Amino acid sequence: MDEKAPVALYYQLKEILVDKIKSNEWQIDSKIPTERELCDLYKVSRITVRQALEELENEGLLYRKQGKGTFVTAPKIEQRLSKFYSFSEEIRNMGYTPSTKVIEFKKLAIDESIAKHFTEKESEVYYIRRLRLANNEPFAIETSYIPFDLCPGLTMEEVSGKGLYNTMKTKYGIIPNEAVETFEAVIINPNDALHLRVGKNSPGLLLERTTYANQRMVEFCHGVIRGDRYKYRVVLK
């Protein structure tokens, strides 16, 4: 640490700590030294240490556990919104191992609350509720409604093992190629929070997606995504 440098001491310390995180010297979810230990180690004041830690926490690199200390945060999964995508394919392209757990799978008679989202008159739909994971960590919970007449004989095992879109393609010749999505900030409800392993009143993103295959609507999806583990990048051209 150089007190004569034009860069503030807290910023110098912050850069040192960032290097420890990026080099994996401090691994994800590992506890970092206490404020007092950092003061002794780098010969700086408690105010300097606290300011550096607060900035790293605001930037999402560290998180605090009440009464337990400060820990390294896993980097957020980033989704680029520039083309039609599959969650599983995108997660895999980011270097994570995607997986899906089907929580509920059943056939429903469509009612007004569901029908209003469909462009064509449907009488029955599949109701599919799935937990999305990256490296076995849950990051989203989705509820999909699929017109029954498009995929007769669709099974929970197929969706679990092959994925929904892949099963649509290989078994039914349906290739989703367009989607309209809306996003808004929400507080994750207690039931979803339990599945997503987050605390009460945690922030999240509500995603509603309408998916088409050659202009035929094939899915309406209502999803809740962890705000602390996922972010979207919009590409404007």
Side-chain angles (χ1 to χ4, degrees), residues 2-220:
D2 185 356
E3 293 185 0
K4 296 181 180 180
V7 180
L9 283 176
Y10 87 88
Y11 190 84
Q12 294 180 49
L13 177 59
K14 175 185 169 184
E15 291 300 295
I16 291 172
L17 304 187
V18 167
D19 286 341
K20 289 184 177 293
I21 295 170
K22 289 185 175 180
S23 68
N24 212 33
E25 181 178 343
W26 287 355
Q27 298 183 353
I28 293 171
D29 289 328
S30 65
K31 183 179 178 181
I32 71 168
T34 65
E35 289 184 4
R36 181 180 297 276
E37 289 170 338
L38 290 171
C39 290
D40 294 341
L41 183 62
Y42 295 103
K43 310 303 180 187
V44 292
S45 69
R46 179 72 69 90
I47 294 175
T48 296
V49 170
R50 191 163 292 168
Q51 189 171 0
L53 294 180
E54 285 178 354
E55 288 210 0
L56 291 175
E57 187 175 0
N58 291 336
E59 292 173 13
L61 294 176
L62 297 175
Y63 66 96
R64 297 178 189 269
K65 287 185 179 180
Q66 187 67 33
K68 295 185 178 180
T70 302
F71 298 78
V72 178
T73 304
K76 286 191 176 185
I77 300 168
E78 181 177 290
Q79 170 68 56
R80 288 170 59 93
L81 297 179
S82 57
K83 61 180 181 178
F84 183 81
Y85 65 91
S86 159
F87 263 129
S88 295
E89 291 177 4
E90 290 297 311
I91 293 298
R92 191 174 291 109
N93 290 338
M94 295 173 203
Y96 297 90
T97 301
S99 58
T100 300
K101 178 182 179 181
V102 178
I103 301 171
E104 289 185 78
F105 183 100
K106 57 187 176 183
K107 185 172 70 172
L108 294 177
I110 199 166
D111 60 22
E112 290 185 6
S113 65
I114 303 171
K116 67 182 181 181
H117 296 291
F118 283 84
T119 56
E120 299 185 31
K121 189 174 182 179
E122 308 290 349
S123 59
E124 294 179 311
V125 292
Y126 289 105
Y127 170 91
I128 306 172
R129 190 163 167 80
R130 295 174 291 169
L131 185 66
R132 299 286 199 169
L133 304 99
N135 288 357
N136 291 318
E137 181 184 22
F139 67 88
I141 188 164
E142 295 182 331
T143 302
S144 294
Y145 300 90
I146 312 294
F148 177 76
D149 67 307
L150 285 180
C151 306
L154 182 67
T155 68
M156 178 175 174
E157 289 72 24
E158 289 170 330
V159 175
S160 298
K162 300 178 182 178
L164 178 58
Y165 287 0
N166 190 45
T167 301
M168 283 182 167
K169 177 181 178 180
T170 57
K171 186 175 181 179
Y172 301 100
I174 298 170
I175 303 176
N177 58 4
E178 184 180 353
V180 177
E181 294 186 336
T182 61
F183 301 88
E184 62 181 286
V186 294
I187 297 299
I188 300 175
N189 69 49
N191 184 49
D192 289 344
L194 185 63
H195 287 294
L196 293 172
R197 301 179 200 163
V198 296
K200 182 180 179 181
N201 296 327
S202 293
L205 285 173
L206 169 64
L207 177 153
E208 290 192 341
R209 181 176 66 248
T210 304
T211 304
Y212 302 85
N214 296 325
Q215 300 184 332
R216 169 69 199 271
M217 186 174 170
V218 298
E219 178 195 26
F220 171 71

